[in-house]
Amino acid sequence: MAIVRGKEHHVDPRLATIAQTDTRKWYQKPNLRALYLILVPSALGVEWTSGFDSSMMNSLQAVSSWVDDFDNPTEGKLGLLNAMYSLGALMAIPFVPTISQCLGRRWSIMIGSLILCIGAGLQAGSRNTDMFLASRWILGFGIPFAIVNASSLVGELSYEKERPTMTSLFSASWHVGAIVAAGVTYGTFQMENTWAWRLPSLLQLVPSLCQICFTPFCPESPRFLISTDRADEAYAILQKYHGEGDNGREFVRLEFAQIQSTIAQEKETARAFVWADIYRDPPMRRRFLLAGIVGFFTQWSGNGLISFYRLKKILNLVGITENRTVQKVILANTCWGLINAVPIAVIAPRFRRRSMFLTCTIGTAVVYTVWTIASARFAIENTTTAAIPVLVFIFVYSPFYNIGWNSLVYTYMVEIFPYQQRAKGIAVQQLTVRFAVFFNTYVNPIAMDRIGWKYYLVYCVWIVIEVGIVYLMFPETYNRTLEELSFMFEGKEIQEKVQRNINKQLELELEHIKPTATAKAKTETNEIEI
């Protein structure tokens, strides 16, 4: 019962209060402005790769040369071609937390990006199905290293006032890559040679090249530096990027003390085996269960039929079969996704997390129900007018989905996990994402070919179940800093212990400052007398 209805305890939000009362905007702070600009290609750009891949594989099904080169893949073969990406990711996830702890966020992103470049090059040069499958596996193997560490880095470097928005924009960045892929494929699908699909495949390495070029100029996570006894470097980063606000000096002092005390407490309870934290105690089990649920829900809320390679089949079921029209719908839907995802990513973090997730799940349930009814009408009555509501609700679905399962996923993951378990938590979320995607890409084609619109009923029932799970199990994390949320499941005793350590550290710092200030004042007095 503790997992379902467990009460969360929150500490005094001193740091969050300082950040929220800061009247200076981020663009009025030169260092913070520069930080956010460098985070775009080095971290937010990681999701460009995910969006590009999903949209490209969706669009290639309407490219004649790709269909011919791979022997008109249908059902199981098409599912396997797409599912290899998730299989590669599943193989990589066990190693992600260890690499992240040893090398830090930046180098882990670099490793993932290098693997992605190799995979994209191999995919573009594929000579047969086996080579294409191998390239898909390599691409999938590289993406978790980049996503887990990039999302963590964005959350750990951003100033508290903008942190939820920045992590939400990380997810919204997916649509940038998706639009580019849809546009490129739309422009090349009429080519009569293999470059109609090789060129989009080759361009998939561009986002990863951005990470390789720009990540060296991005600062490392201060939390990683503190965890590896490099506190001076961490303090310098916090002071440079978080100390430009109205009460910047006090904010940095308190933030530094919170991070040090929280990580010290985390190390006391951390297990030697990197994955042992998953089951060490009820609070940690609850966190990892939530991570698994969120990951699964992001891919099993009906979006799998739209995003993962089956939009062409959906359109075919309501009589839209012409390839150019299909490409136009794919491109338009992808552009619409970006148009609504960005403002939603900015707005959604300003509201309570539970309210947004409930709005998301209830909205998608309603949309899917109407969509299913319209598809059934076309199949039963063979009326072409049924295609209109199907098209409309494909576009209506996107804003509801983006409110929760796009804009808040990484925001929520970063908030519910302490630093030491954050990479593991997001890795578990990615694990269930890949399981769900593997299922979607392998089973969905078979189910859609066999039972058509009736398969939508499965999602209608499942999304209603999601509503109940969100209502019963999701905790509220709104308007708290990462350290203030670190032990919200552990109870007041642990939180009070951390607070005492924070206060002690602040007192020691004040004791150190006073003699220094006194000595400086005496020196200045002597200079005046002379």
Side-chain angles (χ1 to χ4, degrees):
M1 286 299 293
I3 289 178
V4 177
R5 302 292 291 182
K7 181 176 176 58
E8 300 85 45
H9 298 276
H10 296 290
V11 299
D12 180 25
R14 288 186 288 173
L15 195 63
T17 302
I18 295 174
Q20 295 304 320
T21 55
D22 184 3
T23 59
R24 294 192 68 189
K25 305 295 183 182
W26 65 269
Y27 49 82
Q28 296 174 326
K29 304 172 182 178
N31 293 330
L32 188 63
R33 184 173 65 238
L35 174 65
Y36 289 161
L37 289 175
I38 198 66
L39 280 174
V40 171
S42 58
L44 272 70
V46 166
E47 277 291 85
W48 299 344
T49 301
S50 295
F52 193 102
D53 184 86
S54 176
S55 181
M56 182 192 73
M57 290 303 296
N58 202 345
S59 299
L60 285 182
Q61 292 177 57
V63 177
S64 299
S65 61
W66 184 83
V67 173
D68 293 339
D69 285 352
F70 296 101
D71 302 321
N72 192 24
T74 58
E75 293 192 0
K77 187 176 180 181
L78 179 61
L80 182 61
L81 284 170
N82 293 318
M84 284 301 290
Y85 186 83
S86 296
L87 184 61
L90 289 172
M91 299 293 289
I93 284 170
F95 307 104
V96 172
T98 302
I99 298 296
S100 181
Q101 283 187 357
C102 294
L103 301 181
R105 309 299 194 205
R106 294 192 310 162
W107 276 106
S108 298
I109 294 171
M110 293 282 283
I111 289 172
S113 300
L114 286 169
I115 296 172
L116 286 165
C117 285
I118 294 170
L122 186 62
Q123 181 175 257
S126 294
R127 309 290 295 179
N128 50 51
T129 301
D130 290 340
M131 194 171 176
F132 193 84
L133 286 171
S135 69
R136 301 294 299 157
W137 188 93
I138 293 171
L139 284 165
F141 191 86
I143 197 64
F145 291 98
I147 285 181
V148 170
N149 289 281
S151 58
S152 298
L153 185 65
V154 171
E156 292 166 2
L157 276 177
S158 299
Y159 183 59
E160 178 56 33
K161 193 172 183 178
E162 294 88 32
R163 176 189 57 76
T165 301
M166 290 294 292
T167 47
S168 293
L169 286 172
F170 178 83
S171 297
S173 301
W174 182 95
H175 295 277
V176 176
I179 287 175
V180 173
V184 168
T185 311
Y186 180 74
T188 63
F189 90 102
Q190 287 185 322
M191 290 182 178
E192 297 180 358
N193 53 40
T194 59
W195 281 106
W197 63 267
R198 292 187 191 278
L199 183 59
S201 297
L202 184 63
L203 290 176
Q204 191 168 348
L205 61 77
V206 172
S208 298
L209 286 177
C210 288
Q211 278 90 68
I212 293 171
C213 294
F214 289 97
T215 300
F217 301 100
C218 183
E220 181 56 87
S221 165
R223 290 161 180 84
F224 169 75
L225 296 173
I226 289 173
S227 70
T228 53
D229 299 323
R230 296 159 65 185
D232 290 343
E233 295 177 52
Y235 189 86
I237 290 172
L238 293 174
Q239 190 173 43
K240 180 177 181 179
Y241 297 109
H242 293 182
E244 298 176 293
D246 293 336
N247 201 5
R249 183 175 178 181
E250 179 62 22
F251 181 90
V252 172
R253 285 180 59 247
L254 183 55
E255 183 180 30
F256 183 70
Q258 280 191 354
I259 295 173
Q260 279 198 315
S261 300
T262 301
I263 290 178
Q265 180 62 39
E266 290 172 26
K267 287 182 176 180
E268 287 183 17
T269 55
R271 300 290 178 87
F273 175 53
V274 68
W275 287 107
D277 286 332
I278 291 179
Y279 52 82
R280 80 175 188 212
D281 54 39
M284 204 54 67
R285 288 196 291 271
R286 183 181 179 186
R287 287 187 177 92
F288 282 101
L289 177 61
L290 284 168
I293 289 171
V294 168
F296 191 77
F297 284 9
T298 59
Q299 304 305 326
W300 244 78
S301 296
N303 60 307
L305 296 181
I306 299 175
S307 301
F308 288 98
Y309 329 123
R310 298 311 297 166
L311 186 53
K312 179 183 178 182
K313 181 66 177 180
I314 291 169
L315 296 173
N316 291 167
L317 286 175
V318 290
I320 301 172
T321 57
E322 204 272 319
N323 278 342
R324 178 180 289 275
T325 304
V326 171
Q327 290 283 3
K328 286 180 178 179
V329 173
I330 291 172
L331 180 58
N333 187 50
T334 307
C335 292
W336 168 238
L338 178 64
I339 290 169
N340 70 75
V342 172
I344 287 173
V346 174
I347 296 169
R350 301 182 183 184
F351 297 90
R352 298 176 70 83
R353 309 290 185 252
R354 281 171 52 85
S355 299
M356 292 295 97
F357 280 123
L358 286 170
T359 301
C360 165
T361 48
I362 293 171
T364 53
V366 172
V367 168
Y368 236 84
T369 302
V370 177
W371 183 10
T372 303
I373 293 170
S375 298
R377 279 194 60 206
F378 180 86
I380 296 168
E381 302 173 7
N382 198 26
T383 172
T384 56
T385 57
I388 297 173
V390 170
L391 277 174
V392 169
F393 279 93
I394 284 174
F395 287 86
V396 171
Y397 177 88
S398 179
F400 280 113
Y401 177 85
N402 287 337
I403 287 172
W405 301 132
N406 182 270
S407 65
L408 291 179
V409 168
Y410 292 107
T411 300
Y412 204 55
M413 289 296 95
V414 169
E415 288 175 345
I416 66 174
F417 281 97
Y419 167 76
Q420 293 286 346
Q421 287 78 37
R422 189 164 293 133
K424 284 172 266 187
I426 300 177
V428 167
Q429 181 257 347
Q430 285 291 302
L431 183 70
T432 54
V433 163
R434 300 308 163 184
F435 271 123
V437 171
F438 188 89
F439 181 91
N440 282 340
T441 54
Y442 196 74
V443 176
N444 281 354
I446 299 173
M448 291 286 286
D449 285 339
R450 298 285 172 84
I451 61 176
W453 68 267
K454 295 176 183 177
Y455 188 51
Y456 302 157
L457 295 171
V458 176
Y459 284 99
C460 290
V461 174
W462 174 252
I463 296 172
V464 172
I465 295 172
E466 286 185 0
V467 175
I469 293 174
V470 169
Y471 180 78
L472 291 173
M473 296 186 62
F474 279 38
E476 186 56 68
T477 59
Y478 172 69
N479 203 26
R480 292 289 191 279
T481 68
L482 299 184
E483 277 62 47
E484 289 165 358
L485 292 166
S486 291
F487 301 105
M488 64 177 174
F489 297 145
E490 276 75 5
K492 290 185 177 181
E493 185 178 344
I494 296 293
Q495 290 179 337
E496 289 173 356
K497 179 180 177 182
V498 173
Q499 287 300 306
R500 287 194 297 270
N501 291 336
I502 292 172
N503 294 332
K504 285 180 182 178
Q505 186 170 333
L506 291 172
E507 289 172 4
L508 288 172
E509 186 179 337
L510 285 173
E511 291 175 3
H512 173 74
I513 290 172
K514 286 179 180 178
T516 304
T518 303
K520 184 178 179 181
K522 287 182 178 179
T523 303
E524 290 175 353
T525 303
N526 291 336
E527 288 175 354
I528 291 170
E529 290 177 353
I530 291 170

